[in-house]
Amino acid sequence: MKIFNPRTPVVLVLFFFFSCVLVSEFSFCSGASLKKYNIDTSKISVSGLSSGAFFAVQYHVAFSSKLMGCGVVAGGPYYCAEGNLLRAEETCAYIGGVQIDPLIKQAQVYAANGDIDALSNLGQSRVYLYSGTRDLVVATSVVKAAQSWYEYFIPTSHVSTEYSIVSEHCQPTTDYGNKCTYLGEPYINDCDYDAAGITLQWIYSNTLKNPTTPSGNASNILTFSQDLYTPSGTASTISMNTQGYLYVPTACHSNTTKCLLHISFHGCEQTTADIGSDWYTKTGFNEWAEANNIIVLYPQAKRSYSNPSNPNGCWDWWGYTNSNYAIQKGPQMATIRNMMKALTGI
């Protein structure tokens, strides 16, 4: 059962260019831009659930020269849908039967054309993949296809998998959300399994300290305008929300501490209109971030019903924005890259 307890806004401060409101414990700035932090640009990673996992893989492959790893919870290989919605809904989902050879060849074509980074960059990446044994939405065979795709480019010693947890289609946590075998919102389940922590530990070579602050520090959650980073200047035109969220650990605010960066993508039906703040407060990333100086970027998709058609608020991994969706100039891909540039300076 979802736990969400909004409070009345308590502070309103007007600025010349934009207004900021303290909503619940979170800093909200309707027109705020992302600032540059002291980030180790060799330690940037991504992860996601479901459509967010497919998109995380897509972003990782396209910008592999800038990323060190990827976490995949219930997601499939790069270019799985091949620009086809029916394939996304069936072959890359509950039916399975993904053939990776054409997907590898398409990635090679994109790389040869300069549409994505050289695939040789993937060689040092670290990848974590998860599929629950009860997942009725994305078959385990699809996640295993992602594993096989990655292992074509990455040493098997750099790939970690978990396929034995009795869970439904969800982001597994240690103690928050629905019963582990439940299918439904917020698609965050209490499985006594810390998928966020295990993902981060694997990507960062088991160098992280265990969290000491449950859920991190709520005052470190910042809100920013996604419009500022969208090629068109209006996030809604590519089915992204006006606001995105950023967790900045206490030690990272001053810029005297070198910090890491992780980008976390929610799944379908996990927009803020659907599950409130759950994705960026309850998935387990913030406590690991606070303990290890990891800034976490939480971009936000939104539901749209025409131009583009994205009624479930998914990330674009099949082409609802345009045919460039899987390469660097894809609208959502370029938007996330612009956010990353703003935070890192590169």
Side-chain angles (χ1 to χ4, degrees):
M1 181 177 180
K2 183 175 70 171
I3 303 171
F4 181 55
N5 183 27
R7 301 176 187 169
T8 304
V10 295
V11 177
L12 175 62
V13 183
L14 297 179
F15 290 90
F16 184 70
F17 290 110
F18 55 83
S19 62
C20 292
V21 183
L22 185 64
V23 181
S24 287
E25 303 92 342
F26 315 131
S27 172
F28 171 84
C29 295
S30 60
S33 59
L34 293 165
K35 63 169 282 189
K36 181 180 179 294
Y37 291 90
N38 184 8
I39 292 173
D40 183 343
T41 56
S42 69
K43 299 293 177 62
I44 304 173
S45 61
V46 294
S47 70
L49 164 66
S50 193
S51 80
F54 281 97
F55 193 84
V57 169
Q58 189 170 279
Y59 191 81
H60 178 215
V61 174
F63 295 104
S64 59
S65 67
K66 301 291 192 296
L67 301 171
M68 65 171 293
C70 183
V72 183
V73 178
Y78 179 80
Y79 205 62
C80 187
E82 299 183 67
N84 186 291
L85 175 59
L86 185 62
R87 181 175 169 83
E89 293 177 330
E90 295 184 352
T91 306
C92 298
Y94 67 97
I95 293 178
V98 177
Q99 300 298 311
I100 65 168
D101 287 350
L103 309 182
I104 289 171
K105 289 178 182 177
Q106 185 59 60
Q108 291 170 331
V109 170
Y110 281 148
N113 291 339
D115 292 322
I116 63 175
D117 285 347
L119 295 168
S120 58
N121 292 311
L122 291 169
Q124 296 305 309
S125 285
R126 294 177 66 83
V127 175
Y128 170 82
L129 303 105
Y130 175 99
S131 178
T133 63
R134 300 282 185 88
D135 194 322
L136 296 176
V137 179
V138 176
T140 297
S141 66
V142 175
V143 184
K144 288 184 175 181
Q147 177 186 350
S148 297
W149 190 100
Y150 268 122
E151 288 177 346
Y152 184 86
F153 299 100
I154 298 173
T156 57
S157 60
H158 286 203
V159 178
S160 178
T161 63
E162 177 52 73
Y163 300 136
S164 66
I165 306 297
V166 183
S167 71
E168 244 297 355
H169 187 73
C170 68
Q171 175 74 17
T173 72
T174 54
D175 58 8
Y176 181 82
N178 295 309
K179 182 180 177 181
C180 196
T181 53
Y182 178 81
L183 176 62
E185 290 184 8
Y187 299 98
I188 302 170
N189 288 1
D190 179 355
C191 298
D192 296 323
Y193 185 81
D194 186 4
I198 291 167
T199 297
L200 292 172
Q201 279 284 30
W202 177 256
I203 290 173
Y204 293 106
S205 301
N206 298 308
T207 60
L208 304 183
K209 298 182 293 185
N210 289 328
T212 57
T213 306
S215 300
N217 185 336
S219 65
N220 286 334
I221 299 174
L222 310 177
T223 307
F224 66 94
S225 170
Q226 296 194 140
D227 289 336
L228 300 176
Y229 304 97
T230 307
S232 69
T234 306
S236 62
T237 63
I238 58 170
S239 202
M240 288 183 65
N241 201 5
T242 302
Q243 281 85 41
Y245 300 88
L246 185 73
Y247 186 87
V248 182
T250 304
C252 298
H253 284 278
S254 67
N255 273 353
T256 58
T257 300
K258 185 72 77 174
C259 297
L260 314 180
L261 175 63
H262 184 74
I263 306 173
S264 172
F265 297 103
H266 64 74
C268 301
E269 299 181 17
Q270 287 188 313
T271 71
T272 53
D274 294 308
I275 65 169
S277 64
D278 281 5
W279 184 260
Y280 60 90
T281 62
K282 301 297 186 182
T283 47
F285 287 101
N286 294 348
E287 44 262 59
W288 284 91
E290 185 66 23
N292 295 281
N293 299 330
I294 305 171
I295 294 172
V296 185
L297 175 64
Y298 294 102
Q300 299 292 307
K302 65 173 290 186
R303 293 176 185 257
S304 57
Y305 300 93
S306 64
N307 300 320
S309 177
N310 179 31
N312 293 317
C314 306
W315 290 99
D316 188 10
W317 59 278
W318 65 86
Y320 69 71
T321 53
N322 65 36
S323 60
N324 293 322
Y325 72 95
I327 61 178
Q328 291 183 355
K329 64 182 179 182
Q332 290 183 355
M333 299 278 277
T335 299
I336 305 305
R337 179 69 183 100
N338 288 340
M339 293 176 186
M340 198 172 88
K341 285 180 181 177
L343 290 169
T344 64
I346 65 162

